[in-house]
Amino acid sequence: MHINHRKAAIVGCGYVGASIAFRFLQQGLFSQLVLLDANREKAEGEAMDLSDGLPYGAAMEITAGGYDDIADCALVVITAGANQKPGETRLDLIGRNTAIMQSILKEITARDFGGILLIVSNPVDVLTYEAWRLSGYPRERVIGSGTVLDTGRLKQLLGEELGVDSRNVHAFIIGEHGDSELAVWSEANVSGLDLESFCRIRGRALESRDMSRMYRQVRDSAYEIIRRKGATYYGIAMAVGRIAACIIKDERAVLPVSVVLEGQYGLDGLALSLPSIVGRNGVEEILEMPLSEEESQALHTSARQMREAIASVEGRSPAVCR
């Protein structure tokens, strides 16, 4: 199979898919970008609109296409699915979006696709697991956007709280990309200095109530944005752009993407968002971070909820044989 490492496709041209396409245009990672949508005219319109900006961006070809156009893509990003509405959790979308995912994967697996599948549709951990199960692709080639966005939100809040550039803050949100996610405070640091040491040097205090407040802000951020403007898309577009850069540039950076587990943290039979080394071949390794007892319990609670969500998927199709 031939892979063009400068070619990507986005399946789903709603707010999220279009915003990711715009981010890809800004980054200049690809020379070809194919947009697919159930509404072909929507994909064509987005391609036309984006192409108008090419004189001021990177040189690339942006077109609307079909599944035959994605076989040689290095990366296929799937954003298609029902949007989360005010009052809904991500898990409320399971039935609708699993059916959509099944129809998309049927088309992709019918082609000689050898690139990376990046799942963005929610609930991303459940759909990442289903995409792996249905596609028959190796685990390392099927990943989800996971808690890369949530982790960015935590880093931003911590940076504001501590008075330091958020790019120097290293902390992770792991588990479900959703209500059962957890912050790994025990390993959080600022350029190698643990939070307690950094706060002591800076003459600041970071109390447990402050950490609880920031965690709640991160966990509930999507609900607040959706309540105010109806959808979230800029933040996730930036997060997906970061993941794409790791893959295309073979950065081998550590990102909390959604990955299918096979014994890590004593877990399997599901996908969770965990720090992983990401490069050209997808996930190279899932890193097992040292967790406090409380954090380990919270991770296993999150895993239990994900297993229940996976088991609730109705009318499962058998795994695709390749």
Side-chain angles (χ1 to χ4, degrees):
M1 62 185 71
H2 171 68
I3 297 177
N4 182 348
H5 290 286
R6 295 274 289 162
K7 183 178 180 182
I10 299 173
V11 182
C13 293
Y15 286 124
V16 173
S19 297
I20 292 171
F22 183 58
R23 180 57 181 154
F24 284 175
L25 170 59
Q26 292 175 311
Q27 290 176 288
L29 290 173
F30 304 102
S31 57
Q32 292 177 267
L33 180 62
V34 181
L35 305 181
L36 291 79
D37 196 271
N39 180 347
R40 175 67 183 239
E41 286 197 341
K42 178 71 163 64
E44 291 172 347
E46 294 292 356
M48 292 167 64
D49 195 6
L50 287 161
S51 296
D52 285 345
L54 288 174
Y56 310 108
M60 63 189 300
E61 178 186 40
I62 306 172
T63 59
Y67 286 102
D68 286 339
D69 300 308
I70 71 170
D72 61 341
C73 284
L75 178 68
V76 171
V77 181
I78 300 179
T79 71
N83 293 324
Q84 188 178 347
K85 299 175 182 178
E88 281 188 323
T89 69
R90 296 176 181 91
L91 292 181
D92 289 331
L93 305 175
I94 289 178
R96 286 172 285 171
N97 286 352
T98 298
I100 294 170
M101 182 67 66
Q102 288 173 348
S103 66
I104 292 170
L105 288 171
K106 182 179 179 180
E107 295 290 346
I108 293 175
T109 55
R111 277 77 181 174
D112 190 23
F113 172 68
I116 307 298
L117 276 182
L118 176 55
I119 312 302
V120 180
S121 308
N122 278 317
V124 69
D125 302 293
V126 175
L127 293 181
T128 298
Y129 184 79
E130 287 299 297
W132 166 74
R133 188 183 67 83
L134 292 167
S135 69
Y137 296 149
R139 296 169 193 263
E140 62 270 16
R141 286 178 48 207
V142 183
I143 63 179
S145 52
T147 52
V148 175
L149 174 57
D150 314 67
T151 291
R153 288 166 173 161
L154 178 61
K155 292 174 66 172
Q156 178 63 22
L157 288 173
L158 260 174
E160 292 174 358
E161 188 77 19
L162 300 175
V164 67
D165 190 330
S166 61
R167 291 171 295 183
N168 295 127
V169 176
H170 304 285
F172 288 107
I173 295 287
I174 66 172
E176 175 197 5
H177 171 55
D179 293 347
S180 69
E181 65 189 23
L182 61 135
V184 185
W185 294 110
S186 64
E187 292 296 312
N189 68 85
V190 179
S191 293
L193 283 170
D194 62 72
L195 295 184
E196 183 179 350
S197 299
F198 182 84
C199 289
R200 185 173 61 252
I201 292 170
R202 293 279 287 169
R204 291 173 176 264
L206 188 64
E207 305 292 343
S208 59
R209 64 174 177 271
D210 299 317
M211 293 187 284
S212 295
R213 170 178 49 79
M214 284 186 281
Y215 164 72
R216 289 193 301 271
Q217 281 183 257
V218 170
R219 183 194 62 193
D220 299 338
S221 179
Y223 297 125
E224 293 300 320
I225 295 170
I226 291 169
R227 182 174 66 82
R228 287 170 170 81
K229 59 175 279 189
T232 70
Y233 36 92
Y234 296 133
I236 188 59
M238 294 294 287
V240 170
R242 180 72 190 101
I243 299 169
C246 287
I247 294 170
I248 299 306
K249 295 180 180 180
D250 198 22
E251 289 186 11
R252 296 186 172 93
V254 177
L255 295 173
V257 292
S258 185
V259 287
V260 177
L261 301 179
E262 47 182 352
Q264 294 86 355
Y265 297 91
L267 300 168
D268 57 21
L270 77 163
L272 280 180
S273 304
L274 295 164
S276 305
I277 299 175
V278 180
R280 175 162 290 182
N281 297 317
V283 172
E284 289 193 2
E285 188 170 356
I286 301 169
L287 303 179
E288 295 194 55
M289 300 176 66
L291 301 176
S292 69
E293 184 177 346
E294 182 180 359
E295 289 164 351
S296 181
Q297 290 175 352
L299 179 62
H300 280 76
T301 296
S302 185
R304 185 167 58 252
Q305 294 187 24
M306 289 302 93
R307 281 204 188 94
E308 291 172 356
I310 290 169
S312 73
V313 175
E314 296 180 356
R316 273 189 179 174
S317 299
V320 174
C321 295
R322 290 179 59 78

